[in-house]
Amino acid sequence: MRQVRGAHAASGAYNLHAADEGPAVRSSVAAADATFRKIVARAAARFRSAGRGPYYFARGKLSGDPVFAALLRDGRIAAGARIVDVGCGLGVLAALLVAAEECEARAASEWPAGWPPAPRRWTLHGFDLRERAIANAQRALTDVADRVELAVADMRTAALPQCDLLFMLDVAHYIDRDAQRALFRRAEEALVPGGTLLIRVGDALPGVRFYLTMIGDWVTILARGTPWPRLHFRSVAEWIALLQDTGFVVSSQPMSQGTPFANVLLIAHKPRVAQPLAVAFESG
């Protein structure tokens, strides 16, 4: 049986600014945020050799996008994880993981208090369509080439190696609906039982936030100078239904804190054992 959770099931979403919490919590969050910014600075420094553009992009992306802090704070990446990063771009996720591992190992003061230990002994296979992005990523991560493999490939056709954790951050809407379904099936096949697909999507419900999400995508496309694609958005409920049809057990976590966008992180688990036929509902 596939266990189905509500389209917006609560999963401990993190308020980066702790606006509604007490002084002690706000102070703790501020301290963790300051420490995380130091980790980001270390990760972004790897891209200086690639030029000002990649460096400032990496620094801005890692510090301004709430998903990266959330991945470490919520312990989403286990020690020894075999990771696949679909649409890896400049490889900022891999750079962050290297910096996190280095900082956590150096001193407790370099790691946010209360966060789980930084993941260790992980490996990452990433790919992206953009040759220049991959070349810059390889240059920035050349010293960890034994554990970070980056290549130019199309997510619609690229082979997905067996893995424990698979990322698709802000990329699934760039391919059509049939290709999305096929990609999720291949992801389910690549993940080991108990593995997890982490996919961030824009919630395509009418409203200002989704409109701003689309504008953000258009600006990104213009900045990259790539051909103008047709974008294939879905509502969060539609994304969840598609993942459930593929065999995943899905929960959701708001992931646009500090931004004007309508982004949601979907946590799609591959069951460890075959599920019975009936469907059970869990209240969100």
Side-chain angles (χ1 to χ4, degrees):
M1 179 186 80
R2 289 204 310 272
Q3 186 182 52
V4 181
R5 300 194 65 177
H8 294 280
S11 58
Y14 181 60
N15 182 349
L16 286 180
H17 304 291
D20 300 323
E21 303 290 350
V25 173
R26 289 198 297 271
S27 177
S28 175
V29 169
D33 188 49
T35 305
F36 177 70
R37 285 198 297 271
K38 295 178 182 178
I39 299 171
V40 165
R42 179 185 288 269
R46 289 180 161 271
F47 295 92
R48 287 188 181 277
S49 62
R52 292 172 60 87
Y55 166 72
Y56 283 111
F57 172 84
R59 186 155 189 163
K61 183 68 173 174
L62 290 172
S63 62
D65 188 330
V67 72
F68 295 103
L71 293 174
L72 297 178
R73 185 204 61 247
D74 296 342
R76 298 287 182 196
I77 304 170
R82 294 166 297 173
I83 302 166
V84 172
D85 188 2
V86 176
C88 66
L90 272 177
V92 296
L93 174 60
L96 178 67
L97 293 180
V98 174
E101 191 170 4
E102 292 172 347
C103 289
E104 199 270 343
R106 285 164 59 93
S109 62
E110 294 195 12
W111 188 248
W115 286 21
R120 299 176 180 279
R121 304 184 308 280
W122 50 269
T123 60
L124 186 145
H125 175 86
F127 59 86
D128 196 282
L129 265 178
R130 293 169 293 143
E131 294 183 6
R132 185 175 180 181
I134 290 297
N136 286 332
Q138 291 171 333
R139 185 179 300 112
L141 295 158
T142 183
D143 61 314
V144 288
D146 59 328
R147 61 193 297 197
V148 177
E149 180 183 355
L150 304 171
V152 177
D154 188 329
M155 63 179 145
R156 293 169 294 186
T157 57
L160 301 180
Q162 188 177 66
C163 56
D164 306 291
L165 184 59
L166 202 155
F167 285 94
M168 297 181 192
L169 301 179
D170 309 323
V171 296
H173 60 287
Y174 286 104
I175 56 178
D176 65 45
R177 293 196 166 208
D178 288 340
Q180 290 168 358
R181 184 178 296 275
L183 177 60
F184 289 172
R185 286 175 178 161
R186 288 164 45 229
E188 193 276 338
E189 292 170 357
L191 284 163
V192 299
T196 302
L197 166 63
L198 294 176
I199 171 172
R200 189 169 64 175
V201 297
D203 189 359
L205 293 178
V208 173
R209 279 185 171 270
F210 177 61
Y211 182 67
L212 292 174
T213 301
M214 289 193 295
I215 291 176
D217 275 305
W218 296 334
V219 170
T220 298
I221 292 166
L222 286 172
R224 290 174 177 172
T226 55
W228 196 269
R230 180 181 176 187
L231 303 179
H232 302 269
F233 292 100
R234 300 173 186 257
S235 69
V236 165
E238 289 174 322
W239 285 114
I240 289 177
L242 177 58
L243 289 164
Q244 289 170 343
D245 287 344
T246 310
F248 290 103
V249 177
V250 187
S251 61
S252 63
Q253 178 178 356
M255 198 51 65
S256 55
Q257 296 89 339
T259 76
F261 306 127
N263 291 329
V264 177
L265 182 69
L266 302 179
I267 303 100
H269 295 289
K270 179 175 179 176
R272 293 183 181 276
V273 295
Q275 301 289 297
L277 294 178
V279 177
F281 288 86
E282 240 183 69
S283 63

